[in-house]
Every structure is written in C-alpha cells, then in structure tokens.
Amino acid sequence: ANHHQMNGSTYPSEEDALLSRRQLSTTAGNRFHVSKAWIRSIFIGTIVLGLLLSALFDDRSFSAVHKTSSYVDQIVDILDQNSDQKQSDATKITTIRPGSIFLDTNGDPINAHGGGFLFHDDVYYWYGEIKTGNTYTPPANANWGGSRVDLVGISCYSSQDLIHWESRGIILPAVTDDPSHDLYVKGVAERPKVVYNSLTNKFVMWLHIDSMDYKRRVGVPTLVWIY
C-alpha cells in the first residue's frame, strides 16, 4: 500500500523513500568505483609514459614499468578493501557479543532503541526508535533534564539467526508538517511492539506516544498502527 491509516490520519508509505535512498546509494557507489578507475588509469599512464621514454636508453626500465603497475594494483586493492570493510566486518560476525555495537548487514550501527521483537514465518523482526540528530533540552524539561532528539520514526530490522540484521528502513516515519499529529517531530514515540493478527492477516503495532514534556497523556498512552 502507498498510504497508511493511523488514528484517522493518513501519511505516505516509506517504501518510495527507501527505494530512492537505495538508488542514490547505488549511484554513489558506482561513481566511487568509476573515480578510482580514472585515478588508476591516469596514475599508471603518467608513470608508464615516463618510464617508456627512459627505456629508450635503458632496457632495465621495462622491468620498472611492470613493478610500478603491480604497486598501483596493490594500492587500488587497498582502496577496495577499505570501501567494503564495514560490510565485511558485519558479515564476519558469528556470535552475539554483549556490550558491543550491533551492526546491520551494511556495517552500520543498528538504530532501534527501546526495541521490541517479533518472530514470524521463521524470521525475527526488531522494531525500535530511531535516535539521530542533535540532542537538546526543551525549556519545558529544564527542571528535570529531559534531553531529547527530534522524532524520526520507527525502524525495522530482520534476521534469521539473531546475529545478521538487515535494515528494512523506516516503517513508521515522523510527521513534519502537522503539530497536532501523534507522530509530530517534536513529540515522543517510543517502545514499539508488534504482533501478528492471524484472523485479519494484519500486523499491529502499539507504542507510547506523548508530548516532549511527557504531559500530553495520562498513564501509559498507546498508539495502535495496523498495516
């Protein structure tokens, strides 16, 4: 579906945005590899030209050309290894390491705070709050030090072994243009939980929503999202 319904509000799906981010990432990666190829070609061409000219007077320079090309290959290999290191490190993890930073399959730290888990069709799903951006203390919270970051949304990761987690993107994004919305960026959305309703074939998420000073609701407020 391209839109979700929640508490009477309608907002666009994150699927199109996630697809755009993946396309942008692919384009950037392709440009990076093209740039390396040009650097390598220019570097080799310049050195080889000089050595070939000197080789007209000294046959030993031909061996230097071969050695130089080999050195450049090693440099390019190092660049490739560095660009892939994050993803390589993530895929090499074979055990859960308490106290360490959990990485997703892209090599990025998992951003799913206050998380809840769902096991469905042999796949584990991890839902959590996205914490990113500048940390600040609103004036309304100054007396108790309630620092925060603006609401971004709820993320999701999936895994078949609880070790390797694939990012599924932002499944419940914040709303930036409606201060009255439950998911407005200046509000609170935390501790998401998800269950599957086999009678309706729907997933149901509920979570704590509140104002930034935690005075909007009484008790334990919840928001239910069906998708």
Side-chain angles (χ1 to χ4, degrees):
N2 292 325
H3 293 80
H4 298 300
Q5 293 287 336
M6 179 181 62
N7 285 12
S9 299
T10 301
Y11 60 93
S13 168
E14 189 68 12
E15 294 175 358
D16 292 338
L18 179 59
L19 178 59
S20 298
R21 288 197 296 272
R22 287 177 176 171
Q23 291 173 340
L24 178 62
S25 176
T26 300
T27 301
N30 291 338
R31 289 176 178 172
F32 177 69
H33 288 293
V34 168
S35 298
K36 287 196 301 182
W38 275 104
I39 292 173
R40 182 179 187 276
S41 298
I42 295 173
F43 187 53
I44 292 178
T46 302
I47 294 177
V48 169
L49 178 60
L51 292 175
L52 285 176
L53 290 175
S54 65
L56 295 175
F57 306 97
D58 186 354
D59 291 339
R60 290 176 297 177
S61 295
F62 283 109
S63 63
V65 171
H66 176 73
K67 289 182 179 179
T68 301
S69 178
S70 177
Y71 293 151
V72 173
D73 284 336
Q74 293 178 28
I75 293 172
V76 173
D77 286 342
I78 292 173
L79 291 175
D80 283 331
Q81 291 171 9
N82 289 338
S83 64
D84 296 335
Q85 189 63 44
K86 285 200 311 179
Q87 187 168 359
S88 175
D89 289 344
T91 56
K92 288 179 180 178
I93 296 175
T94 58
T95 58
I96 296 175
R97 296 178 292 182
S100 64
I101 296 176
F102 274 44
L103 303 178
D104 64 17
T105 53
N106 293 323
D108 298 317
I110 291 178
N111 197 337
H113 302 264
F117 292 83
L118 169 70
F119 184 65
H120 179 73
D121 287 345
D122 296 324
V123 177
Y124 297 94
Y125 295 92
W126 181 349
Y127 304 89
E129 314 156 37
I130 299 173
K131 299 292 188 182
T132 186
N134 295 326
T135 301
Y136 64 96
T137 301
N141 297 348
N143 62 333
W144 59 280
S147 60
R148 56 167 281 123
V149 295
D150 283 343
L151 178 61
V152 177
I154 303 301
S155 61
C156 178
Y157 295 82
S158 62
S159 173
Q160 293 183 324
D161 57 10
L162 294 176
I163 298 174
H164 302 97
W165 292 92
E166 177 185 358
S167 174
R168 308 301 290 268
I170 303 174
I171 63 167
L172 190 62
V175 173
T176 61
D177 56 359
D178 183 3
S180 66
H181 200 286
D182 283 330
L183 292 176
Y184 184 54
V185 292
K186 297 300 182 181
V188 171
E190 57 188 18
R191 300 192 295 276
K193 307 294 184 293
V194 175
V195 293
Y196 176 69
N197 187 337
S198 59
L199 297 179
T200 62
N201 293 322
K202 297 285 187 179
F203 293 90
V204 180
M205 175 185 292
W206 77 98
L207 63 159
H208 175 185
I209 57 170
D210 218 317
S211 57
M212 69 167 62
D213 58 4
Y214 287 87
K215 293 181 179 180
R216 177 181 174 185
R217 304 293 178 92
V218 178
V220 183
T222 59
L223 176 150
V224 178
W225 179 49
I226 301 175
Y227 62 105

